[in-house]
Amino acid sequence: MAFGVHKSIIYIMRTDYDMTKGSITRHIIAYAIPMILGNILQLTYNAVDSMIISKFIGENALAAVSTSNPVMTIMILGASGVGMGASIIISRLYGADEKDKIKREFSTTAIFGLFFSLLVFIAGFIFSGAILKLINTPDEVFGEALVYLRIMFVGFLFTFQYNIMSNCLRGIGDSRSPVIFLGISCVINVCLDMLFVALMGMGVEGAGLATVIAEAISVILSMIYIYYKVPLLKFGRKDYVVDKELLKKTVSFGFLTALQQAAQPIGKLFIQGAINAQGTTAIGAFNVVCRVDDFACIPAQSIGSGIMTGTAQNRGAGNFDRVNRTLRQGFIIGLFYFPLICSVTLLFRLPIARALTPKESTAMIAMAVAALGVKAWVFSLATVVNAVQGHFRGMGKMNIVLISTIIQISIRTIVVYLMVDKLGIVAEAYGTFIGWAAQTVFEYGLYFYLRRGYGKKNVTA
């Protein structure tokens, strides 16, 4: 038994996985675990960062930083979309054993990313003020928000490159190394926050500078690691090429992925508007639910990413029986996770609500507990939906993922607006269930219809 556990740990610590061979279940779990840890680390860092800014600079500074978050989210969605497009293509090439093309894809995406991020940086730096005015930034925080947002546009140069490199590493099955670099970056960011903000009193400039330096270090570490440890992605001067055909596919996948990822936060903005109309107590309670939601969905999303990479590799290898089994095994893994998160949410919803709300806010706590009581059961659909979305991404059918997400968030938003006056924030939990249920029916219906053609010429385009 001890030997078996030791072998599993060694397997997880590997830096690449050929998912066209061996145990599908073990591949997905080994791929998902580092991603789960990395996402939890990122959410924890975000909370600590907000605490440092709030404690040492004040509410206005925190509001200035928060005002910039929607703009930064859009920037990150663009970077992660292109990165995911590259990851899918590299996974296919890896499965097809076309190693030379992997370097071409990495080179193409890196060069495109450099020029694209430069254009975004220049435009963003110039128009930061206009952007902040467009989103109705209050006058009292406008100056600090402008400084912080301009620094973030500088950081975008590094954010884009990190997303490209980390996604390309995941494309060959290495989900562990990006998490290590992310962890180092987060620790450095917190330390620099304490130095610049708490000790040197640099305000939002210090917070922004800390983030940019940490991002730059993560890029440098990723470059060094790839150069010395990942020959598949290492390219010299002769490999500095832009393959127009690969770029076209990467941008196409990336654009649809970015749209799909943007649909969710846009819908949530409308939902937040409906919740805001219910008053400050409802807003605070909904914030508790959203934080639990963020953490609870991480494993489902990570399993979905494992399914995506496994599907893309096996599609590249032409192994369509294994493509179907990858979805099936990932689905089963997700179902094992559901009872755990459901039980934890139901058992600890009261202490969680108390920990995330002011002591005297009994009404806020009661609202959060009621909503989490419904939401706990809804998490079952998160595993189901993320599994099939990982499959469709791996198959390159990004349009299906986009359409199904729009259907889901639209239904979810409509339900909230119709029911929020009667049910309060519990309406959001019911809206999530109905939206995810509709998305499940739509996507699995298409999957069972389309899989009959897997392995034929019309699905390899």
Side-chain angles (χ1 to χ4, degrees):
M1 179 67 179
F3 178 69
V5 172
H6 179 65
K7 281 182 67 178
S8 298
I9 293 172
I10 291 174
Y11 188 79
I12 291 171
M13 294 302 289
R14 286 176 56 192
T15 58
D16 66 277
Y17 305 95
D18 183 352
M19 295 187 174
T20 63
K21 304 169 186 174
S23 169
I24 293 172
T25 300
R26 188 167 67 169
H27 279 313
I28 294 173
I29 292 173
Y31 187 97
I33 287 175
M35 291 198 70
I36 292 169
L37 295 175
N39 286 323
I40 290 174
L41 177 65
Q42 184 69 59
L43 287 175
T44 304
Y45 157 71
N46 289 339
V48 172
D49 191 48
S50 296
M51 288 170 59
I52 292 172
I53 293 170
S54 177
K55 182 176 178 59
F56 293 101
I57 315 179
E59 291 184 6
N60 277 2
L62 183 60
V65 172
S66 299
T67 298
S68 302
N69 283 340
V71 182
M72 292 160 55
T73 298
I74 293 172
M75 291 158 54
I76 292 169
L77 287 176
S80 63
V82 173
M84 188 174 290
S87 177
I88 293 167
I89 292 171
I90 284 178
S91 293
R92 287 186 189 175
L93 296 172
Y94 187 85
D97 200 30
E98 296 184 57
K99 302 295 170 46
D100 290 338
K101 279 192 175 182
I102 290 177
K103 288 186 180 181
R104 293 179 69 85
E105 168 62 18
F106 183 43
S107 170
T108 296
T109 310
I111 293 170
F112 167 77
L114 177 61
F115 285 101
F116 181 78
S117 58
L118 274 171
L119 287 174
V120 172
F121 158 66
I122 293 168
F125 199 87
I126 294 171
F127 296 108
S128 289
I131 292 169
L132 291 172
K133 287 179 181 177
L134 187 64
I135 59 176
N136 298 317
T137 304
D139 292 339
E140 58 268 28
V141 301
F142 187 89
E144 288 182 305
L146 179 61
V147 170
Y148 187 79
L149 184 57
R150 281 180 170 167
I151 294 173
M152 288 301 99
F153 274 112
V154 175
F156 184 67
L157 296 168
F158 304 110
T159 300
F160 207 109
Q161 290 301 319
Y162 173 75
N163 268 276
I164 290 171
M165 286 187 278
S166 61
N167 275 286
C168 287
L169 284 168
R170 292 185 184 113
I172 61 172
D174 181 3
S175 62
R176 180 182 69 95
S177 301
V179 172
I180 293 174
F181 305 140
L182 175 64
I184 294 171
S185 174
C186 287
V187 171
I188 291 172
N189 204 334
V190 171
C191 292
L192 290 177
D193 270 340
M194 293 300 295
L195 174 63
F196 295 156
V197 176
L199 296 178
M200 299 176 65
M202 293 175 62
V204 294
E205 297 96 328
L209 187 60
T211 300
V212 172
I213 293 173
E215 288 174 343
I217 290 173
S218 68
V219 170
I220 292 169
L221 290 174
S222 298
M223 290 174 65
I224 293 172
Y225 175 76
I226 288 171
Y227 185 82
Y228 287 103
K229 295 291 185 180
V230 190
L232 273 176
L233 299 178
K234 177 184 174 182
F235 55 87
R237 290 182 181 179
K238 63 181 178 65
D239 299 309
Y240 279 91
V241 295
V242 175
D243 187 307
K244 292 182 180 179
E245 192 62 33
L246 289 173
L247 179 60
K248 183 179 176 181
K249 289 182 180 179
T250 303
V251 173
S252 175
F253 287 168
F255 178 71
L256 290 173
T257 300
L259 282 180
Q260 180 265 326
Q261 292 178 327
Q264 200 76 353
I266 289 170
K268 284 185 176 181
L269 281 177
F270 286 105
I271 291 171
Q272 185 70 57
I275 299 295
N276 289 350
Q278 304 300 306
T280 55
T281 301
I283 294 171
F286 186 58
N287 179 59
V288 174
V289 176
C290 288
R291 291 202 181 190
V292 174
D293 201 7
D294 287 341
F295 278 96
C297 290
I298 284 173
Q301 293 164 355
S302 302
I303 291 167
S305 293
I307 293 171
M308 179 190 79
T309 301
T311 298
Q313 285 192 13
N314 283 289
R315 184 180 187 270
N319 192 344
F320 288 93
D321 174 65
R322 197 171 172 90
V323 163
N324 290 318
R325 287 195 290 126
T326 296
L327 173 58
R328 187 163 60 247
Q329 293 299 320
F331 182 91
I332 293 170
I333 294 168
L335 290 184
F336 275 103
Y337 165 70
F338 163 65
L340 173 65
I341 189 58
C342 180
S343 301
V344 169
T345 304
L346 290 173
L347 287 172
F348 296 101
R349 55 186 169 152
L350 179 57
I352 289 171
R354 284 174 175 167
L356 296 175
T357 55
K359 291 181 180 179
E360 302 82 10
S361 303
T362 53
M364 189 182 293
I365 293 170
M367 281 188 189
V369 168
L372 288 173
V374 177
K375 201 86 171 188
W377 300 99
V378 179
F379 292 141
S380 61
L381 288 175
T383 58
V384 171
V385 166
N386 277 278
V388 73
Q389 286 203 329
H391 168 82
F392 280 127
R393 285 194 179 106
M395 292 296 292
K397 298 189 177 297
M398 316 303 290
N399 56 334
I400 293 176
V401 181
L402 172 61
I403 293 168
S404 67
T405 301
I406 292 173
I407 291 171
Q408 174 262 126
I409 196 63
S410 299
I411 292 173
R412 187 171 165 184
T413 303
I414 291 168
V415 170
V416 171
Y417 272 87
L418 290 175
M419 300 174 66
V420 70
D421 288 335
K422 291 183 179 180
L423 299 177
I425 66 168
V426 176
E428 192 275 336
Y430 285 117
T432 302
F433 176 80
I434 296 170
W436 279 355
Q439 187 176 17
T440 299
V441 172
F442 176 79
E443 289 186 323
Y444 278 94
L446 279 176
Y447 165 71
F448 285 113
Y449 173 76
L450 292 172
R451 74 171 185 172
R452 294 177 298 178
Y454 285 2
K456 298 178 182 178
K457 289 182 179 180
N458 64 330
V459 299
T460 58

